[in-house]
Amino acid sequence: MDFCNMTLSQIQSFLAGNGQELDEESITALSCDPRAGVRKIYQRICRERVLAEQERVRLGKMTIYERDALDKGFRFIAGVDEVGRGPLAGPVAAAAVILPVGIFLPGLNDSKKLSPAKRDCLFREITKQAVSWSVGFASVEEIDSLNILQASLVAMQRAVSSLQKGPDYILVDAVRIPGIKIPQLPIIKGDGKSVSIAAASIVAKVTRDRMMEELEKLYPGYGFAGHKGYGTPEHLEALKAFGTCNLHRKTFTRNFTAAKVQGKLW
C-alpha cells in the first residue's frame, strides 16, 4: 500500500477497516513514513499487535483441557458452569456450551472478571458460534428443599441434557455432575482455566441476569434488576421495608433474619 501519497485522514479511514489485516510490507511502509501523525499510527498498530498476541497466548493456555480431550479421541467437549449460588433470591442457573475446535473469542474469561457490556458481547458471539448450547435452572423451591449445592447440580444436569448436540466429554467447574454417564473432568476454578467452562459461565450469567431483570417487573421495589438477588445493602433495605416475596429463598433469608435479630444487619 502506497501510504506516502495518502493524507493522514485517508490512512486513518483505510486502517479503520483493515488495521488488523495489514501485511508486513504495509506495516514497514508506515514505519518509514516521516510524518509524525503516521508514526503515531504505526506505534498504535504495533501495540495492538502485541496485545493481540498476548491474548492469543492467554487463550491458548485456556485450551489445554480441550486439546487433551481431543487428543484422547473426544470430539464434542462441553463446558459446564453455574451462577446464582449466593443470592438471597431467584433461581440458580447452569449452562452447557460446546465450542467449535479452534474458535478464537478475544476477551473470553471467567464471567465474574468481565463487565456487563463485555459479557453481553461475548454472549452474542458464543451463542452464535457454538456447536450447541443450553441453560438449565433449579427453582427457588428446589433450592429450599434440596439445598443450594444439590440444586446447582440439578441445574447442571438439565443444561447438559438439553444440549441439541450431545457431548462425548464434559469439563465442569469444580464439581462432578451426578447421574451423567458421559466422561467428565471437574476443574477447580475452571471458569478461568478452560475456554469451554468460561463460555458456559458467561452464558449462565447473562441468561440469569436477564431473567432477574424481567422478574423485577413482577416484583417491583426489591431492585432485582440491579442486584440480581444478591444481598446488597439496597436489597437488605427492601427486605426490611417489604419482607420477602415468592422469589426469596427461605433457607437463605432465614439466616439473614436471624442475623438481623442479633444486630448484625441493618
Side-chain angles (χ1 to χ4, degrees):
M1 177 59 62
D2 185 10
F3 292 117
C4 292
N5 293 320
M6 297 172 65
T7 66
L8 184 61
S9 178
Q10 288 172 331
I11 292 174
Q12 289 172 329
S13 296
F14 174 80
L15 294 178
N18 300 278
Q20 296 301 319
E21 300 178 7
L22 290 179
D23 56 31
E24 291 304 317
E25 183 178 350
S26 297
I27 295 291
T28 301
L30 286 172
S31 71
C32 296
D33 195 296
R35 290 171 289 180
V38 178
R39 287 199 300 272
K40 288 182 179 179
I41 291 174
Y42 167 72
Q43 291 167 357
R44 173 179 58 79
I45 290 174
C46 287
R47 288 195 299 270
E48 290 173 350
R49 295 182 85 184
V50 168
L51 292 174
E53 180 58 26
Q54 290 174 344
E55 182 65 358
R56 279 190 286 271
V57 170
R58 185 187 71 84
L59 288 174
K61 292 178 179 178
M62 290 180 65
T63 64
I64 290 174
Y65 295 101
E66 285 81 2
R67 284 187 277 116
D68 181 63
L70 288 169
D71 288 345
K72 292 175 180 176
F74 299 106
R75 289 293 173 265
F76 298 103
I77 302 155
V80 182
D81 198 9
E82 54 75 29
V83 297
R85 283 198 190 188
L88 305 180
V92 62
V97 177
I98 302 175
L99 294 174
V101 176
I103 189 173
F104 180 63
L105 294 171
L108 182 67
N109 209 335
D110 172 4
S111 64
K112 297 186 291 297
K113 297 180 179 179
L114 303 173
S115 68
K118 186 62 176 177
R119 284 197 297 264
D120 284 342
C121 179
L122 284 166
F123 175 88
R124 289 192 296 271
E125 288 302 312
I126 292 165
T127 54
K128 177 182 177 181
Q129 298 189 48
V131 173
S132 185
W133 67 277
S134 64
V135 180
F137 297 92
S139 68
V140 170
E141 292 75 18
E142 288 173 316
I143 293 170
D144 284 335
S145 63
L146 297 174
N147 75 46
I148 186 59
L149 173 58
Q150 294 304 316
S152 297
L153 295 174
V154 167
M156 289 181 174
Q157 291 170 344
R158 289 170 177 166
V160 172
S161 63
S162 297
L163 285 168
Q164 290 188 348
K165 176 62 181 180
D168 55 10
Y169 193 75
I170 299 173
L171 300 173
V172 196
D173 186 31
V175 299
R176 184 175 294 276
I177 309 171
I180 299 290
K181 296 182 179 179
I182 302 165
Q184 55 183 297
L185 177 67
I187 304 171
I188 302 299
K189 296 184 179 179
D191 44 12
K193 298 177 181 178
S194 157
V195 291
S196 301
I197 299 177
S201 77
I202 291 168
V203 171
K205 173 66 174 169
V206 172
T207 302
R208 186 183 185 279
D209 282 359
R210 291 178 179 178
M211 173 182 284
M212 295 304 293
E213 289 165 7
E214 289 300 312
L215 288 170
E216 164 75 8
K217 300 173 184 178
L218 297 178
Y219 300 94
Y222 287 97
F224 291 130
H227 55 66
K228 309 300 189 291
Y230 285 88
T232 64
E234 176 193 10
H235 192 181
L236 299 182
E237 285 299 321
L239 281 171
K240 180 180 178 181
F242 307 119
T244 60
C245 70
N246 290 337
L247 277 185
H248 284 99
R249 305 169 183 179
K250 294 181 177 62
T251 49
F252 281 45
T253 53
R254 188 178 301 128
N255 293 335
F256 270 74
T257 301
K260 170 189 165 185
V261 170
Q262 295 169 20
K264 295 180 182 179
L265 294 174
W266 303 321

